[in-house]
PDB file of all heavy atoms in Angstrom:
ATOM      1  N   ALA Z  64     -46.715 -64.203  47.169  1.00  0.00           N
ATOM      2  CA  ALA Z  64     -46.058 -64.905  46.153  1.00  0.00           C
ATOM      3  C   ALA Z  64     -46.961 -64.749  44.962  1.00  0.00           C
ATOM      4  O   ALA Z  64     -48.168 -64.926  44.934  1.00  0.00           O
ATOM      5  CB  ALA Z  64     -45.820 -66.343  46.393  1.00  0.00           C
ATOM      6  N   THR Z  65     -46.311 -64.497  43.827  1.00  0.00           N
ATOM      7  CA  THR Z  65     -46.996 -64.319  42.550  1.00  0.00           C
ATOM      8  C   THR Z  65     -46.425 -65.221  41.430  1.00  0.00           C
ATOM      9  O   THR Z  65     -45.137 -65.678  41.600  1.00  0.00           O
ATOM     10  CB  THR Z  65     -47.103 -62.909  41.987  1.00  0.00           C
ATOM     11  OG1 THR Z  65     -45.750 -62.423  41.796  1.00  0.00           O
ATOM     12  CG2 THR Z  65     -47.672 -62.024  42.901  1.00  0.00           C
ATOM     13  N   LEU Z  66     -47.095 -65.566  40.478  1.00  0.00           N
ATOM     14  CA  LEU Z  66     -46.614 -66.509  39.465  1.00  0.00           C
ATOM     15  C   LEU Z  66     -47.045 -65.997  37.993  1.00  0.00           C
ATOM     16  O   LEU Z  66     -48.193 -65.844  37.714  1.00  0.00           O
ATOM     17  CB  LEU Z  66     -47.107 -67.954  39.719  1.00  0.00           C
ATOM     18  CG  LEU Z  66     -46.795 -69.041  38.754  1.00  0.00           C
ATOM     19  CD1 LEU Z  66     -45.321 -69.251  38.723  1.00  0.00           C
ATOM     20  CD2 LEU Z  66     -47.459 -70.280  38.981  1.00  0.00           C
ATOM     21  N   THR Z  67     -46.064 -66.108  37.195  1.00  0.00           N
ATOM     22  CA  THR Z  67     -46.257 -65.903  35.660  1.00  0.00           C
ATOM     23  C   THR Z  67     -45.849 -67.151  35.015  1.00  0.00           C
ATOM     24  O   THR Z  67     -45.355 -68.081  35.576  1.00  0.00           O
ATOM     25  CB  THR Z  67     -45.505 -64.647  35.064  1.00  0.00           C
ATOM     26  OG1 THR Z  67     -44.062 -64.952  35.009  1.00  0.00           O
ATOM     27  CG2 THR Z  67     -45.680 -63.481  35.943  1.00  0.00           C
ATOM     28  N   LYS Z  68     -45.799 -67.168  33.627  1.00  0.00           N
ATOM     29  CA  LYS Z  68     -45.411 -68.364  32.951  1.00  0.00           C
ATOM     30  C   LYS Z  68     -43.892 -68.614  32.962  1.00  0.00           C
ATOM     31  O   LYS Z  68     -43.449 -69.713  32.568  1.00  0.00           O
ATOM     32  CB  LYS Z  68     -45.920 -68.362  31.509  1.00  0.00           C
ATOM     33  CG  LYS Z  68     -47.482 -68.436  31.301  1.00  0.00           C
ATOM     34  CD  LYS Z  68     -47.876 -68.490  29.934  1.00  0.00           C
ATOM     35  CE  LYS Z  68     -49.445 -68.731  29.854  1.00  0.00           C
ATOM     36  NZ  LYS Z  68     -49.822 -68.837  28.470  1.00  0.00           N
ATOM     37  N   LYS Z  69     -43.163 -67.544  33.404  1.00  0.00           N
ATOM     38  CA  LYS Z  69     -41.693 -67.729  33.265  1.00  0.00           C
ATOM     39  C   LYS Z  69     -41.039 -67.488  34.670  1.00  0.00           C
ATOM     40  O   LYS Z  69     -39.886 -67.724  34.868  1.00  0.00           O
ATOM     41  CB  LYS Z  69     -41.071 -66.754  32.285  1.00  0.00           C
ATOM     42  CG  LYS Z  69     -41.418 -67.002  30.825  1.00  0.00           C
ATOM     43  CD  LYS Z  69     -40.720 -66.119  29.967  1.00  0.00           C
ATOM     44  CE  LYS Z  69     -41.078 -66.412  28.382  1.00  0.00           C
ATOM     45  NZ  LYS Z  69     -40.349 -65.426  27.455  1.00  0.00           N
ATOM     46  N   GLU Z  70     -41.798 -66.828  35.594  1.00  0.00           N
ATOM     47  CA  GLU Z  70     -41.101 -66.478  36.826  1.00  0.00           C
ATOM     48  C   GLU Z  70     -42.162 -66.290  37.984  1.00  0.00           C
ATOM     49  O   GLU Z  70     -43.278 -66.232  37.771  1.00  0.00           O
ATOM     50  CB  GLU Z  70     -40.329 -65.193  36.641  1.00  0.00           C
ATOM     51  CG  GLU Z  70     -41.066 -64.002  36.222  1.00  0.00           C
ATOM     52  CD  GLU Z  70     -40.171 -62.877  35.897  1.00  0.00           C
ATOM     53  OE1 GLU Z  70     -38.940 -62.909  36.139  1.00  0.00           O
ATOM     54  OE2 GLU Z  70     -40.714 -61.824  35.279  1.00  0.00           O
ATOM     55  N   SER Z  71     -41.571 -66.220  39.196  1.00  0.00           N
ATOM     56  CA  SER Z  71     -42.340 -66.057  40.383  1.00  0.00           C
ATOM     57  C   SER Z  71     -41.649 -65.043  41.070  1.00  0.00           C
ATOM     58  O   SER Z  71     -40.408 -64.890  41.202  1.00  0.00           O
ATOM     59  CB  SER Z  71     -42.562 -67.324  41.031  1.00  0.00           C
ATOM     60  OG  SER Z  71     -43.324 -67.085  42.305  1.00  0.00           O
ATOM     61  N   PHE Z  72     -42.455 -64.159  41.864  1.00  0.00           N
ATOM     62  CA  PHE Z  72     -41.861 -63.188  42.751  1.00  0.00           C
ATOM     63  C   PHE Z  72     -42.357 -63.569  44.094  1.00  0.00           C
ATOM     64  O   PHE Z  72     -43.473 -63.903  44.380  1.00  0.00           O
ATOM     65  CB  PHE Z  72     -42.273 -61.686  42.309  1.00  0.00           C
ATOM     66  CG  PHE Z  72     -41.706 -61.408  41.005  1.00  0.00           C
ATOM     67  CD1 PHE Z  72     -42.455 -61.550  39.809  1.00  0.00           C
ATOM     68  CD2 PHE Z  72     -40.435 -60.795  40.934  1.00  0.00           C
ATOM     69  CE1 PHE Z  72     -41.830 -61.091  38.680  1.00  0.00           C
ATOM     70  CE2 PHE Z  72     -39.891 -60.398  39.841  1.00  0.00           C
ATOM     71  CZ  PHE Z  72     -40.570 -60.493  38.609  1.00  0.00           C
ATOM     72  N   LEU Z  73     -41.493 -63.242  45.044  1.00  0.00           N
ATOM     73  CA  LEU Z  73     -41.816 -63.235  46.475  1.00  0.00           C
ATOM     74  C   LEU Z  73     -41.708 -61.812  46.982  1.00  0.00           C
ATOM     75  O   LEU Z  73     -40.577 -61.294  47.117  1.00  0.00           O
ATOM     76  CB  LEU Z  73     -41.004 -64.207  47.323  1.00  0.00           C
ATOM     77  CG  LEU Z  73     -41.408 -64.321  48.745  1.00  0.00           C
ATOM     78  CD1 LEU Z  73     -42.792 -65.016  48.919  1.00  0.00           C
ATOM     79  CD2 LEU Z  73     -40.299 -65.247  49.587  1.00  0.00           C
ATOM     80  N   HIS Z  74     -42.882 -61.188  47.226  1.00  0.00           N
ATOM     81  CA  HIS Z  74     -42.883 -59.844  47.705  1.00  0.00           C
ATOM     82  C   HIS Z  74     -42.954 -59.692  49.165  1.00  0.00           C
ATOM     83  O   HIS Z  74     -43.650 -60.428  49.824  1.00  0.00           O
ATOM     84  CB  HIS Z  74     -44.155 -59.014  47.057  1.00  0.00           C
ATOM     85  CG  HIS Z  74     -44.270 -59.051  45.604  1.00  0.00           C
ATOM     86  ND1 HIS Z  74     -43.544 -58.334  44.704  1.00  0.00           N
ATOM     87  CD2 HIS Z  74     -44.991 -59.977  44.755  1.00  0.00           C
ATOM     88  CE1 HIS Z  74     -43.833 -58.728  43.414  1.00  0.00           C
ATOM     89  NE2 HIS Z  74     -44.864 -59.720  43.613  1.00  0.00           N
ATOM     90  N   ILE Z  75     -41.952 -58.878  49.723  1.00  0.00           N
ATOM     91  CA  ILE Z  75     -41.902 -58.724  51.143  1.00  0.00           C
ATOM     92  C   ILE Z  75     -42.205 -57.312  51.482  1.00  0.00           C
ATOM     93  O   ILE Z  75     -41.510 -56.376  51.044  1.00  0.00           O
ATOM     94  CB  ILE Z  75     -40.504 -59.126  51.679  1.00  0.00           C
ATOM     95  CG1 ILE Z  75     -40.220 -60.562  51.308  1.00  0.00           C
ATOM     96  CG2 ILE Z  75     -40.431 -59.010  53.207  1.00  0.00           C
ATOM     97  CD1 ILE Z  75     -38.849 -60.984  51.615  1.00  0.00           C
ATOM     98  N   THR Z  76     -43.321 -57.090  52.177  1.00  0.00           N
ATOM     99  CA  THR Z  76     -43.769 -55.839  52.514  1.00  0.00           C
ATOM    100  C   THR Z  76     -43.496 -55.437  53.927  1.00  0.00           C
ATOM    101  O   THR Z  76     -43.682 -56.162  54.843  1.00  0.00           O
ATOM    102  CB  THR Z  76     -45.486 -55.697  52.290  1.00  0.00           C
ATOM    103  OG1 THR Z  76     -45.746 -56.111  51.084  1.00  0.00           O
ATOM    104  CG2 THR Z  76     -45.931 -54.293  52.592  1.00  0.00           C
ATOM    105  N   ALA Z  77     -42.831 -54.288  54.177  1.00  0.00           N
ATOM    106  CA  ALA Z  77     -42.451 -53.759  55.524  1.00  0.00           C
ATOM    107  C   ALA Z  77     -41.810 -54.853  56.129  1.00  0.00           C
ATOM    108  O   ALA Z  77     -42.309 -55.224  57.298  1.00  0.00           O
ATOM    109  CB  ALA Z  77     -43.652 -53.200  56.089  1.00  0.00           C
ATOM    110  N   PRO Z  78     -40.707 -55.325  55.803  1.00  0.00           N
ATOM    111  CA  PRO Z  78     -40.033 -56.550  56.447  1.00  0.00           C
ATOM    112  C   PRO Z  78     -39.632 -56.155  57.820  1.00  0.00           C
ATOM    113  O   PRO Z  78     -39.168 -55.028  58.107  1.00  0.00           O
ATOM    114  CB  PRO Z  78     -38.857 -56.850  55.564  1.00  0.00           C
ATOM    115  CG  PRO Z  78     -38.482 -55.571  54.779  1.00  0.00           C
ATOM    116  CD  PRO Z  78     -39.892 -55.030  54.516  1.00  0.00           C
ATOM    117  N   LYS Z  79     -39.396 -57.281  58.760  1.00  0.00           N
ATOM    118  CA  LYS Z  79     -38.815 -56.952  60.052  1.00  0.00           C
ATOM    119  C   LYS Z  79     -37.617 -57.840  60.188  1.00  0.00           C
ATOM    120  O   LYS Z  79     -37.471 -58.873  59.276  1.00  0.00           O
ATOM    121  CB  LYS Z  79     -39.972 -57.509  61.100  1.00  0.00           C
ATOM    122  CG  LYS Z  79     -41.188 -56.698  61.039  1.00  0.00           C
ATOM    123  CD  LYS Z  79     -42.111 -57.124  62.085  1.00  0.00           C
ATOM    124  CE  LYS Z  79     -43.483 -56.238  62.179  1.00  0.00           C
ATOM    125  NZ  LYS Z  79     -44.411 -56.824  63.155  1.00  0.00           N
ATOM    126  N   PRO Z  80     -36.774 -57.693  61.166  1.00  0.00           N
ATOM    127  CA  PRO Z  80     -35.629 -58.488  61.336  1.00  0.00           C
ATOM    128  C   PRO Z  80     -35.894 -59.901  61.324  1.00  0.00           C
ATOM    129  O   PRO Z  80     -35.156 -60.764  60.834  1.00  0.00           O
ATOM    130  CB  PRO Z  80     -34.975 -58.010  62.586  1.00  0.00           C
ATOM    131  CG  PRO Z  80     -35.567 -56.580  62.650  1.00  0.00           C
ATOM    132  CD  PRO Z  80     -36.895 -56.544  62.089  1.00  0.00           C
ATOM    133  N   GLU Z  81     -36.929 -60.324  61.839  1.00  0.00           N
ATOM    134  CA  GLU Z  81     -37.273 -61.788  61.954  1.00  0.00           C
ATOM    135  C   GLU Z  81     -37.546 -62.456  60.498  1.00  0.00           C
ATOM    136  O   GLU Z  81     -37.759 -63.581  60.457  1.00  0.00           O
ATOM    137  CB  GLU Z  81     -38.426 -61.960  62.853  1.00  0.00           C
ATOM    138  CG  GLU Z  81     -39.703 -61.203  62.633  1.00  0.00           C
ATOM    139  CD  GLU Z  81     -39.835 -60.095  63.499  1.00  0.00           C
ATOM    140  OE1 GLU Z  81     -38.691 -59.387  63.777  1.00  0.00           O
ATOM    141  OE2 GLU Z  81     -40.789 -59.847  64.049  1.00  0.00           O
ATOM    142  N   ASP Z  82     -37.702 -61.685  59.531  1.00  0.00           N
ATOM    143  CA  ASP Z  82     -37.938 -62.169  58.249  1.00  0.00           C
ATOM    144  C   ASP Z  82     -36.682 -62.555  57.511  1.00  0.00           C
ATOM    145  O   ASP Z  82     -36.434 -63.107  56.549  1.00  0.00           O
ATOM    146  CB  ASP Z  82     -38.673 -61.127  57.285  1.00  0.00           C
ATOM    147  CG  ASP Z  82     -40.068 -60.901  57.722  1.00  0.00           C
ATOM    148  OD1 ASP Z  82     -40.757 -61.790  58.055  1.00  0.00           O
ATOM    149  OD2 ASP Z  82     -40.445 -59.667  57.713  1.00  0.00           O
ATOM    150  N   SER Z  83     -35.461 -62.209  58.286  1.00  0.00           N
ATOM    151  CA  SER Z  83     -34.072 -62.652  57.706  1.00  0.00           C
ATOM    152  C   SER Z  83     -34.064 -64.142  57.681  1.00  0.00           C
ATOM    153  O   SER Z  83     -34.335 -64.851  58.587  1.00  0.00           O
ATOM    154  CB  SER Z  83     -33.073 -62.075  58.669  1.00  0.00           C
ATOM    155  OG  SER Z  83     -33.171 -60.657  58.780  1.00  0.00           O
ATOM    156  N   ALA Z  84     -33.694 -64.536  56.497  1.00  0.00           N
ATOM    157  CA  ALA Z  84     -33.547 -66.079  56.104  1.00  0.00           C
ATOM    158  C   ALA Z  84     -33.200 -66.224  54.709  1.00  0.00           C
ATOM    159  O   ALA Z  84     -33.055 -65.183  53.973  1.00  0.00           O
ATOM    160  CB  ALA Z  84     -35.001 -66.807  56.515  1.00  0.00           C
ATOM    161  N   THR Z  85     -32.962 -67.524  54.366  1.00  0.00           N
ATOM    162  CA  THR Z  85     -32.732 -67.707  52.939  1.00  0.00           C
ATOM    163  C   THR Z  85     -34.010 -68.261  52.406  1.00  0.00           C
ATOM    164  O   THR Z  85     -34.612 -69.164  52.979  1.00  0.00           O
ATOM    165  CB  THR Z  85     -31.709 -68.879  52.794  1.00  0.00           C
ATOM    166  OG1 THR Z  85     -30.325 -68.338  53.192  1.00  0.00           O
ATOM    167  CG2 THR Z  85     -31.513 -69.234  51.341  1.00  0.00           C
ATOM    168  N   TYR Z  86     -34.429 -67.695  51.227  1.00  0.00           N
ATOM    169  CA  TYR Z  86     -35.817 -68.163  50.664  1.00  0.00           C
ATOM    170  C   TYR Z  86     -35.398 -68.969  49.345  1.00  0.00           C
ATOM    171  O   TYR Z  86     -34.705 -68.588  48.513  1.00  0.00           O
ATOM    172  CB  TYR Z  86     -36.513 -66.875  50.355  1.00  0.00           C
ATOM    173  CG  TYR Z  86     -37.052 -66.181  51.565  1.00  0.00           C
ATOM    174  CD1 TYR Z  86     -36.276 -65.185  52.202  1.00  0.00           C
ATOM    175  CD2 TYR Z  86     -38.383 -66.521  52.024  1.00  0.00           C
ATOM    176  CE1 TYR Z  86     -36.708 -64.701  53.364  1.00  0.00           C
ATOM    177  CE2 TYR Z  86     -38.858 -65.919  53.181  1.00  0.00           C
ATOM    178  CZ  TYR Z  86     -37.936 -65.054  53.951  1.00  0.00           C
ATOM    179  OH  TYR Z  86     -38.462 -64.389  55.141  1.00  0.00           O
TER     180      TYR Z  86
END
Side-chain angles (χ1 to χ4, degrees):
Chain Z
T65 63
L66 181 64
T67 72
K68 288 186 178 180
K69 293 184 179 181
E70 57 193 348
S71 176
F72 291 94
L73 185 65
H74 306 278
I75 303 176
T76 302
K79 298 182 178 181
E81 53 261 42
D82 294 322
S83 297
T85 296
Y86 291 85

